[in-house]
Amino acid sequence: MSEQGSEQGADQRFGEYVVVRRHTSSYVAELVLDRPKAMNAVSTDMARSIAAACEALAADRDVRAVVLTSTHERAFCVGADLKERNSLTDAELVRQRPLARAAYTGVLDLPMPTVAAVHGFALGGGFELALACDLIVADGTAVVGLPEVSVGVIPGGGGTQLLPRRVGAARAAELIFSARRVEAAEAADLGLIDVLVPAGEARAEGLALAGRIAVNSPVGLRAAKRALRLGHGLDLRAGLEIEDAAWRSVAFSGDRAEGVAAFNEKRRPQWPGE
């Protein structure tokens, strides 16, 4: 594929509520939440589709970065489908739990860099989907939070683990225990989001950021993400061992050879991706 332009490949739908849109010339894919009638509330069917879409993206060597987006004008995702949850028996809820977890871990485990493009409400499981990404871009309309304790549960899509890794244990505790919603400006100040843009620009900036990422070596990107994820929270010596293992996985790759050659020849690299 050419590295120029912004050609968009065909959409691939996973179930009724999830679309993967490949921007083939930029090596970027969108993972699109498309349940507008429910503000992207995550039902069992939608969770199953998110997991399936992530499985397909993880196996696609042509995708170097993924942007998580929404088709709803006022919401990124409002979290779990509480209307559906209210209809489930205890036994059905137990059976549903692995499907719900697979959606969140599917995003979290994507091997390439991921960017969430948040506008409007990103609450509960919706914010957890964003937290599962490496970077969060949000516009001025964004409202984020983990309000689960206000309905008698806890964040169950990774929020109790991912939020303190972003903002520290005490700040995460305050946000989770109070169940409060945080508007865009404060969210940026607290580190709940990484890039704040004007209203209506989250998707465009998310795609632009992903495009800037995707010009780099796909082998290097995946290895760098692996080192960042596996080394987080370890002591320095253990973290450096993780980094060394990741370095060794790329040091003799075709991408490394091409990158060094392109640098010396003063040209853009043509990454083999291996």
Coordinates of all heavy atoms in Angstrom, one line a residue, residues 183-270:
E183 N -15.8 17.2 33.6 CA -15.9 17.8 32.3 C -14.5 18.0 31.7 O -13.5 17.8 32.4 CB -16.7 19.1 32.4 CG -18.1 18.9 32.8 CD -18.9 20.2 32.8 OE1 -18.4 21.3 32.4 OE2 -20.1 20.1 33.1
A184 N -14.5 18.3 30.4 CA -13.3 18.2 29.6 C -12.1 18.9 30.2 O -11.0 18.4 30.3 CB -13.6 18.7 28.2
A185 N -12.3 20.2 30.6 CA -11.1 21.0 31.0 C -10.5 20.4 32.3 O -9.3 20.3 32.4 CB -11.6 22.5 31.3
E186 N -11.3 20.0 33.3 CA -10.8 19.4 34.5 C -10.2 18.1 34.2 O -9.1 17.7 34.7 CB -11.9 19.3 35.5 CG -11.3 18.8 36.9 CD -12.4 18.5 37.9 OE1 -13.6 18.6 37.6 OE2 -12.0 18.1 39.0
A187 N -10.8 17.3 33.3 CA -10.3 16.0 32.9 C -8.9 16.2 32.3 O -8.0 15.3 32.6 CB -11.2 15.3 31.9
A188 N -8.6 17.2 31.5 CA -7.3 17.4 31.0 C -6.3 17.8 32.1 O -5.2 17.3 32.2 CB -7.3 18.5 30.0
D189 N -6.8 18.6 33.1 CA -5.9 19.0 34.2 C -5.5 17.8 35.1 O -4.4 17.8 35.6 CB -6.6 20.1 35.0 CG -6.7 21.4 34.3 OD1 -6.0 21.7 33.4 OD2 -7.6 22.2 34.8
L190 N -6.5 16.9 35.2 CA -6.2 15.8 36.1 C -5.5 14.6 35.4 O -5.1 13.7 36.1 CB -7.5 15.2 36.6 CG -8.4 16.1 37.5 CD1 -9.7 15.5 38.0 CD2 -7.5 16.5 38.8
G191 N -5.3 14.7 34.1 CA -4.6 13.6 33.4 C -5.5 12.5 33.0 O -5.1 11.4 32.6
L192 N -6.8 12.8 33.1 CA -7.8 11.7 32.6 C -7.8 11.6 31.1 O -8.2 10.6 30.6 CB -9.2 12.1 33.1 CG -9.4 12.1 34.7 CD1 -10.7 12.6 35.0 CD2 -9.1 10.8 35.3
I193 N -7.5 12.7 30.4 CA -7.3 12.7 29.0 C -5.9 13.2 28.7 O -5.3 13.9 29.5 CB -8.4 13.5 28.3 CG1 -8.4 14.9 28.7 CG2 -9.8 12.8 28.6 CD1 -9.4 15.8 28.0
D194 N -5.4 13.0 27.5 CA -4.1 13.4 27.1 C -4.0 14.6 26.2 O -3.1 15.4 26.3 CB -3.4 12.2 26.4 CG -3.3 11.0 27.3 OD1 -2.8 11.1 28.4 OD2 -3.8 9.9 26.9
V195 N -5.0 14.7 25.3 CA -5.1 15.8 24.4 C -6.5 16.4 24.4 O -7.4 15.7 24.2 CB -4.7 15.4 22.9 CG1 -4.7 16.5 22.0 CG2 -3.3 14.7 22.9
L196 N -6.6 17.7 24.6 CA -7.9 18.4 24.6 C -8.0 19.3 23.4 O -7.1 20.1 23.1 CB -8.1 19.2 25.9 CG -9.4 20.0 26.0 CD1 -10.6 19.1 26.0 CD2 -9.3 20.9 27.3
V197 N -9.0 19.1 22.6 CA -9.2 19.8 21.3 C -10.6 20.5 21.4 O -11.4 20.2 22.2 CB -9.1 18.9 20.1 CG1 -7.7 18.4 20.0 CG2 -10.1 17.8 20.1
P198 N -10.8 21.5 20.5 CA -12.1 22.1 20.5 C -13.3 21.2 20.1 O -13.0 20.1 19.5 CB -12.0 23.2 19.4 CG -10.5 23.5 19.3 CD -9.8 22.1 19.6
A199 N -14.5 21.5 20.5 CA -15.6 20.7 20.2 C -15.7 20.3 18.8 O -15.5 21.1 17.9 CB -16.9 21.4 20.6
G200 N -16.0 19.0 18.6 CA -16.2 18.5 17.2 C -14.9 18.0 16.6 O -15.0 17.5 15.4
E201 N -13.7 18.2 17.2 CA -12.5 17.8 16.6 C -11.8 16.6 17.1 O -10.7 16.3 16.7 CB -11.5 19.0 16.6 CG -12.0 20.3 15.9 CD -11.0 21.4 15.9 OE1 -9.8 21.1 16.2 OE2 -11.4 22.5 15.6
A202 N -12.5 15.8 18.0 CA -11.8 14.7 18.6 C -11.4 13.6 17.6 O -10.3 13.1 17.6 CB -12.7 14.1 19.7
R203 N -12.4 13.3 16.7 CA -12.1 12.2 15.7 C -11.0 12.6 14.8 O -10.1 11.8 14.5 CB -13.4 11.9 15.0 CG -13.1 10.8 13.9 CD -14.4 10.4 13.2 NE -14.2 9.5 12.1 CZ -13.9 9.9 10.8 NH1 -13.9 11.2 10.5 NH2 -13.7 8.9 9.9
A204 N -11.1 13.8 14.3 CA -10.0 14.3 13.3 C -8.7 14.3 14.0 O -7.7 13.9 13.4 CB -10.4 15.7 12.8
E205 N -8.6 14.8 15.2 CA -7.3 14.8 15.9 C -6.8 13.4 16.2 O -5.6 13.1 16.2 CB -7.3 15.7 17.1 CG -6.0 15.7 17.9 CD -4.8 16.2 17.1 OE1 -5.0 17.0 16.2 OE2 -3.7 15.7 17.4
G206 N -7.8 12.5 16.6 CA -7.4 11.2 16.9 C -6.8 10.5 15.7 O -5.8 9.8 15.8
L207 N -7.4 10.7 14.5 CA -6.9 10.1 13.3 C -5.6 10.7 12.9 O -4.7 10.0 12.4 CB -7.9 10.3 12.2 CG -9.2 9.4 12.3 CD1 -10.2 9.8 11.3 CD2 -8.8 7.9 12.1
A208 N -5.4 12.0 13.1 CA -4.2 12.7 12.8 C -3.0 12.2 13.7 O -1.9 11.9 13.2 CB -4.3 14.2 12.9
L209 N -3.3 12.0 15.0 CA -2.3 11.5 15.9 C -1.9 10.1 15.5 O -0.8 9.7 15.5 CB -2.9 11.6 17.3 CG -2.0 10.9 18.4 CD1 -0.6 11.6 18.4 CD2 -2.7 11.1 19.8
A210 N -2.9 9.3 15.2 CA -2.7 7.9 14.8 C -1.8 7.8 13.5 O -1.0 7.0 13.4 CB -4.0 7.1 14.6
G211 N -2.1 8.8 12.6 CA -1.4 8.9 11.4 C 0.1 9.2 11.6 O 1.0 8.7 11.0
R212 N 0.3 10.1 12.6 CA 1.7 10.4 12.9 C 2.5 9.3 13.6 O 3.7 9.1 13.4 CB 1.8 11.7 13.9 CG 1.2 12.9 13.2 CD 1.5 14.2 14.1 NE 0.8 14.2 15.3 CZ -0.4 14.7 15.5 NH1 -1.1 15.2 14.5 NH2 -0.9 14.7 16.7
I213 N 1.7 8.5 14.3 CA 2.3 7.3 14.9 C 2.6 6.2 13.8 O 3.7 5.6 13.8 CB 1.3 6.7 15.9 CG1 1.2 7.6 17.2 CG2 1.7 5.3 16.4 CD1 0.1 7.3 18.1
A214 N 1.7 6.1 12.9 CA 1.7 5.0 11.9 C 2.8 5.1 10.9 O 3.0 4.2 10.1 CB 0.4 4.8 11.3
V215 N 3.4 6.3 10.8 CA 4.5 6.4 9.8 C 5.8 5.6 10.3 O 6.7 5.4 9.5 CB 4.9 7.9 9.5 CG1 3.7 8.6 8.9 CG2 5.4 8.6 10.7
N216 N 5.8 5.2 11.5 CA 6.9 4.6 12.1 C 6.9 3.1 11.9 O 5.9 2.5 11.5 CB 7.0 5.0 13.6 CG 7.3 6.5 13.8 OD1 8.2 7.0 13.3 ND2 6.3 7.1 14.5
S217 N 8.0 2.4 12.3 CA 8.1 1.0 12.1 C 7.0 0.2 12.8 O 6.9 0.3 14.1 CB 9.5 0.5 12.6 OG 9.5 -0.8 12.9
P218 N 6.3 -0.6 12.1 CA 5.3 -1.4 12.8 C 5.9 -2.4 13.8 O 5.3 -2.7 14.9 CB 4.5 -2.1 11.7 CG 5.4 -2.1 10.5 CD 6.2 -0.8 10.7
V219 N 7.0 -2.9 13.5 CA 7.7 -3.8 14.4 C 8.2 -3.1 15.7 O 8.0 -3.5 16.8 CB 8.9 -4.5 13.7 CG1 9.8 -5.2 14.7 CG2 8.5 -5.4 12.6
G220 N 8.7 -1.9 15.4 CA 9.1 -1.1 16.6 C 8.0 -0.6 17.4 O 8.1 -0.6 18.7
L221 N 6.9 -0.2 16.8 CA 5.7 0.2 17.6 C 5.2 -0.9 18.5 O 4.9 -0.6 19.7 CB 4.6 0.7 16.6 CG 4.9 2.0 15.9 CD1 3.8 2.2 14.8 CD2 4.9 3.2 16.9
R222 N 5.0 -2.1 17.9 CA 4.5 -3.2 18.7 C 5.4 -3.5 19.9 O 5.0 -3.8 21.0 CB 4.2 -4.4 17.9 CG 3.0 -4.1 16.9 CD 2.7 -5.3 16.0 NE 1.6 -5.1 15.1 CZ 0.6 -5.9 15.0 NH1 0.5 -7.1 15.6 NH2 -0.4 -5.6 14.1
A223 N 6.7 -3.5 19.6 CA 7.7 -3.8 20.6 C 7.7 -2.8 21.7 O 7.8 -3.1 22.9 CB 9.1 -4.1 20.0
A224 N 7.7 -1.5 21.3 CA 7.7 -0.4 22.3 C 6.4 -0.5 23.2 O 6.5 -0.3 24.4 CB 7.7 0.9 21.6
K225 N 5.3 -0.8 22.6 CA 4.1 -0.9 23.4 C 4.2 -2.1 24.4 O 3.8 -1.9 25.5 CB 2.8 -1.1 22.5 CG 1.5 -1.3 23.3 CD 0.3 -1.2 22.4 CE -1.0 -1.4 23.2 NZ -2.2 -1.1 22.5
R226 N 4.7 -3.2 23.9 CA 4.9 -4.3 24.8 C 5.8 -4.0 26.0 O 5.5 -4.3 27.1 CB 5.5 -5.5 24.0 CG 5.5 -6.8 24.7 CD 5.7 -8.0 23.7 NE 7.0 -7.9 23.0 CZ 7.1 -7.6 21.7 NH1 6.1 -7.4 20.9 NH2 8.4 -7.6 21.2
A227 N 6.9 -3.3 25.7 CA 7.8 -2.9 26.8 C 7.1 -1.9 27.8 O 7.3 -2.1 29.0 CB 9.1 -2.3 26.2
L228 N 6.4 -1.0 27.2 CA 5.7 0.0 28.1 C 4.7 -0.7 29.0 O 4.6 -0.5 30.2 CB 5.0 1.0 27.2 CG 5.9 2.1 26.6 CD1 5.1 2.8 25.5 CD2 6.3 3.1 27.7
R229 N 3.9 -1.6 28.4 CA 2.8 -2.3 29.1 C 3.4 -3.3 30.2 O 3.0 -3.3 31.3 CB 1.9 -3.1 28.2 CG 1.0 -2.2 27.4 CD -0.2 -1.6 28.3 NE -1.1 -0.7 27.6 CZ -2.1 -1.2 26.9 NH1 -2.4 -2.5 26.8 NH2 -2.9 -0.3 26.3
L230 N 4.4 -4.1 29.8 CA 4.9 -5.1 30.6 C 5.8 -4.6 31.7 O 5.9 -5.1 32.8 CB 5.6 -6.2 29.9 CG 4.8 -7.0 28.9 CD1 5.7 -8.0 28.1 CD2 3.7 -7.8 29.6
G231 N 6.5 -3.5 31.4 CA 7.4 -2.9 32.4 C 6.7 -2.0 33.4 O 7.3 -1.7 34.5
H232 N 5.5 -1.5 33.2 CA 4.8 -0.6 34.1 C 4.6 -1.2 35.4 O 4.1 -2.3 35.6 CB 3.5 -0.2 33.5 CG 2.8 0.9 34.3 ND1 3.0 2.2 34.0 CD2 2.0 0.9 35.4 CE1 2.4 3.0 34.9 NE2 1.7 2.2 35.7
G233 N 5.1 -0.5 36.5 CA 4.8 -1.0 37.8 C 5.9 -1.8 38.4 O 6.0 -2.1 39.6
L234 N 6.8 -2.3 37.5 CA 8.0 -3.1 38.0 C 9.0 -2.2 38.5 O 9.1 -1.0 38.2 CB 8.5 -4.0 36.8 CG 7.6 -5.0 36.2 CD1 8.3 -5.7 35.0 CD2 7.0 -5.9 37.2
D235 N 9.9 -2.8 39.3 CA 11.1 -2.0 39.8 C 12.0 -1.8 38.5 O 11.9 -2.5 37.5 CB 11.9 -2.7 40.9 CG 12.5 -4.0 40.4 OD1 13.5 -4.0 39.7 OD2 12.0 -5.1 40.8
L236 N 12.9 -0.8 38.6 CA 13.7 -0.4 37.5 C 14.4 -1.5 36.8 O 14.5 -1.6 35.6 CB 14.6 0.8 37.9 CG 15.5 1.3 36.8 CD1 14.7 1.8 35.6 CD2 16.4 2.4 37.4
R237 N 15.1 -2.3 37.6 CA 15.9 -3.4 37.1 C 15.1 -4.4 36.3 O 15.4 -4.8 35.2 CB 16.7 -4.1 38.2 CG 17.7 -3.3 38.9 CD 18.9 -3.0 37.9 NE 19.9 -2.2 38.6 CZ 21.0 -1.7 38.0 NH1 21.1 -1.9 36.7 NH2 21.8 -1.0 38.6
A238 N 13.9 -4.8 36.8 CA 13.0 -5.7 36.1 C 12.5 -5.0 34.9 O 12.4 -5.7 33.8 CB 11.9 -6.1 37.0
G239 N 12.2 -3.7 34.9 CA 11.7 -3.0 33.8 C 12.7 -3.0 32.7 O 12.4 -3.1 31.5
L240 N 14.0 -2.8 33.0 CA 15.1 -2.7 32.0 C 15.3 -4.1 31.4 O 15.6 -4.2 30.2 CB 16.4 -2.3 32.7 CG 16.4 -0.8 33.1 CD1 17.6 -0.4 33.9 CD2 16.3 0.1 31.9
E241 N 15.0 -5.2 32.1 CA 15.1 -6.5 31.5 C 13.9 -6.7 30.4 O 14.1 -7.2 29.4 CB 15.0 -7.6 32.5 CG 16.2 -7.7 33.4 CD 17.5 -7.9 32.6 OE1 17.5 -8.8 31.7 OE2 18.5 -7.2 32.9
I242 N 12.7 -6.2 30.8 CA 11.6 -6.2 29.8 C 12.0 -5.4 28.6 O 11.8 -5.8 27.4 CB 10.4 -5.6 30.4 CG1 9.9 -6.5 31.6 CG2 9.3 -5.4 29.4 CD1 9.3 -7.8 31.2
E243 N 12.6 -4.2 28.8 CA 13.0 -3.4 27.6 C 14.1 -4.1 26.8 O 14.0 -4.0 25.6 CB 13.6 -2.1 28.2 CG 14.0 -1.1 27.1 CD 14.6 0.2 27.6 OE1 15.8 0.1 28.0 OE2 13.9 1.2 27.7
D244 N 15.0 -4.7 27.4 CA 16.1 -5.4 26.7 C 15.5 -6.5 25.8 O 15.9 -6.7 24.7 CB 17.1 -6.0 27.7 CG 18.3 -6.6 26.9 OD1 19.0 -5.8 26.3 OD2 18.5 -7.8 27.0
A245 N 14.5 -7.3 26.4 CA 13.9 -8.4 25.6 C 13.2 -7.8 24.4 O 13.2 -8.3 23.3 CB 12.9 -9.1 26.5
A246 N 12.5 -6.6 24.6 CA 11.8 -6.0 23.5 C 12.8 -5.5 22.4 O 12.6 -5.6 21.2 CB 10.9 -4.9 24.0
W247 N 13.9 -4.9 22.9 CA 15.0 -4.5 22.0 C 15.5 -5.6 21.1 O 15.7 -5.5 19.9 CB 16.1 -3.8 22.8 CG 17.3 -3.4 21.9 CD1 17.3 -2.2 21.2 CD2 18.4 -4.1 21.5 NE1 18.5 -2.1 20.5 CE2 19.2 -3.3 20.6 CE3 18.9 -5.4 21.8 CZ2 20.4 -3.7 20.1 CZ3 20.1 -5.8 21.3 CH2 20.8 -5.0 20.4
R248 N 15.8 -6.8 21.8 CA 16.3 -7.9 21.1 C 15.3 -8.4 20.0 O 15.7 -9.0 19.0 CB 16.7 -9.0 22.0 CG 17.9 -8.7 22.9 CD 18.1 -9.8 24.0 NE 19.2 -9.4 24.9 CZ 20.5 -9.5 24.6 NH1 20.9 -10.1 23.4 NH2 21.4 -9.1 25.4
S249 N 14.0 -8.2 20.3 CA 13.0 -8.7 19.3 C 13.0 -7.9 18.0 O 12.5 -8.3 17.0 CB 11.6 -8.7 20.0 OG 11.1 -7.4 20.1
V250 N 13.6 -6.6 18.1 CA 13.6 -5.8 16.9 C 15.0 -5.6 16.3 O 15.1 -5.1 15.2 CB 12.9 -4.4 17.2 CG1 11.5 -4.6 17.7 CG2 13.8 -3.6 18.2
A251 N 16.0 -5.8 17.1 CA 17.3 -5.4 16.7 C 17.8 -6.1 15.4 O 18.6 -5.5 14.7 CB 18.3 -5.8 17.8
F252 N 17.3 -7.3 15.1 CA 17.7 -8.0 13.9 C 16.6 -8.1 12.9 O 16.6 -9.0 12.1 CB 18.3 -9.3 14.3 CG 19.3 -9.2 15.4 CD1 19.0 -9.6 16.7 CD2 20.6 -8.7 15.1 CE1 19.9 -9.4 17.7 CE2 21.5 -8.6 16.1 CZ 21.2 -8.9 17.4
S253 N 15.6 -7.2 13.0 CA 14.4 -7.3 12.1 C 14.7 -6.6 10.8 O 15.6 -5.7 10.7 CB 13.2 -6.6 12.8 OG 13.4 -5.2 13.0
G254 N 13.8 -6.9 9.8 CA 13.9 -6.2 8.6 C 13.6 -4.7 8.7 O 14.2 -3.8 8.0
D255 N 12.7 -4.3 9.7 CA 12.4 -2.9 9.9 C 13.6 -2.2 10.4 O 13.9 -1.0 10.0 CB 11.3 -2.8 10.9 CG 9.9 -2.9 10.3 OD1 9.8 -3.3 9.1 OD2 8.9 -2.5 10.9
R256 N 14.4 -2.8 11.3 CA 15.6 -2.1 11.8 C 16.6 -1.9 10.7 O 17.1 -0.8 10.5 CB 16.2 -3.0 12.9 CG 17.3 -2.2 13.8 CD 18.6 -2.2 13.2 NE 19.1 -3.5 12.8 CZ 20.2 -3.7 12.1 NH1 21.0 -2.7 11.7 NH2 20.6 -5.0 11.8
A257 N 16.8 -2.9 9.8 CA 17.7 -2.7 8.7 C 17.3 -1.6 7.8 O 18.0 -0.8 7.3 CB 17.9 -4.1 8.0
E258 N 16.0 -1.6 7.5 CA 15.4 -0.6 6.6 C 15.5 0.8 7.2 O 15.8 1.8 6.5 CB 14.0 -0.9 6.2 CG 13.2 0.2 5.5 CD 13.8 0.6 4.1 OE1 14.7 -0.1 3.6 OE2 13.3 1.6 3.6
G259 N 15.2 0.9 8.5 CA 15.2 2.2 9.1 C 16.6 2.8 9.1 O 16.8 4.0 8.9
V260 N 17.6 2.0 9.4 CA 19.0 2.5 9.4 C 19.4 2.9 8.0 O 20.0 3.9 7.8 CB 19.9 1.5 10.0 CG1 21.4 1.9 9.9 CG2 19.6 1.3 11.5
A261 N 19.1 2.0 7.0 CA 19.4 2.3 5.6 C 18.7 3.6 5.2 O 19.4 4.5 4.5 CB 19.0 1.2 4.7
A262 N 17.5 3.8 5.5 CA 16.7 5.0 5.0 C 17.3 6.2 5.7 O 17.4 7.3 5.0 CB 15.3 4.8 5.4
F263 N 17.7 6.1 6.9 CA 18.3 7.3 7.6 C 19.6 7.7 6.9 O 19.8 8.9 6.6 CB 18.6 7.0 9.1 CG 19.3 8.1 9.8 CD1 18.5 9.1 10.4 CD2 20.6 8.1 10.0 CE1 19.1 10.1 11.1 CE2 21.3 9.1 10.7 CZ 20.5 10.1 11.2
N264 N 20.4 6.8 6.6 CA 21.7 7.1 6.0 C 21.5 7.5 4.5 O 22.4 8.3 4.0 CB 22.6 5.9 6.1 CG 23.2 5.7 7.5 OD1 24.1 6.5 7.9 ND2 22.7 4.7 8.2
E265 N 20.5 7.1 3.9 CA 20.3 7.4 2.5 C 19.3 8.7 2.4 O 19.0 9.1 1.3 CB 19.7 6.2 1.7 CG 20.6 5.1 1.6 CD 20.0 3.8 1.2 OE1 18.8 3.8 0.7 OE2 20.6 2.7 1.3
K266 N 18.9 9.2 3.5 CA 18.1 10.4 3.6 C 16.8 10.3 2.8 O 16.5 11.1 1.9 CB 18.9 11.6 3.1 CG 20.1 12.0 4.0 CD 20.8 13.2 3.5 CE 21.9 13.6 4.5 NZ 22.9 12.6 4.8
R267 N 16.1 9.2 3.0 CA 14.8 8.9 2.3 C 13.8 8.4 3.4 O 14.2 8.0 4.5 CB 15.0 7.9 1.2 CG 15.6 6.5 1.7 CD 15.6 5.5 0.6 NE 16.2 4.3 1.0 CZ 15.6 3.3 1.7 NH1 14.4 3.5 2.1 NH2 16.3 2.2 2.1
R268 N 12.6 8.3 3.0 CA 11.5 7.7 3.9 C 11.7 6.2 3.9 O 11.9 5.6 2.8 CB 10.1 8.1 3.4 CG 9.8 9.6 3.5 CD 8.4 9.9 3.1 NE 7.4 9.2 4.0 CZ 6.1 9.2 3.8 NH1 5.6 9.9 2.8 NH2 5.3 8.6 4.7
P269 N 11.6 5.6 5.0 CA 11.6 4.2 5.1 C 10.4 3.5 4.4 O 9.3 4.0 4.4 CB 11.7 3.8 6.6 CG 11.6 5.1 7.3 CD 11.4 6.2 6.3
Q270 N 10.6 2.3 3.8 CA 9.6 1.5 3.3 C 9.6 0.2 4.2 O 10.3 -0.7 3.9 CB 9.8 1.1 1.8 CG 9.9 2.4 0.9 CD 8.6 3.1 0.9 OE1 7.5 2.5 0.8 NE2 8.7 4.5 0.9

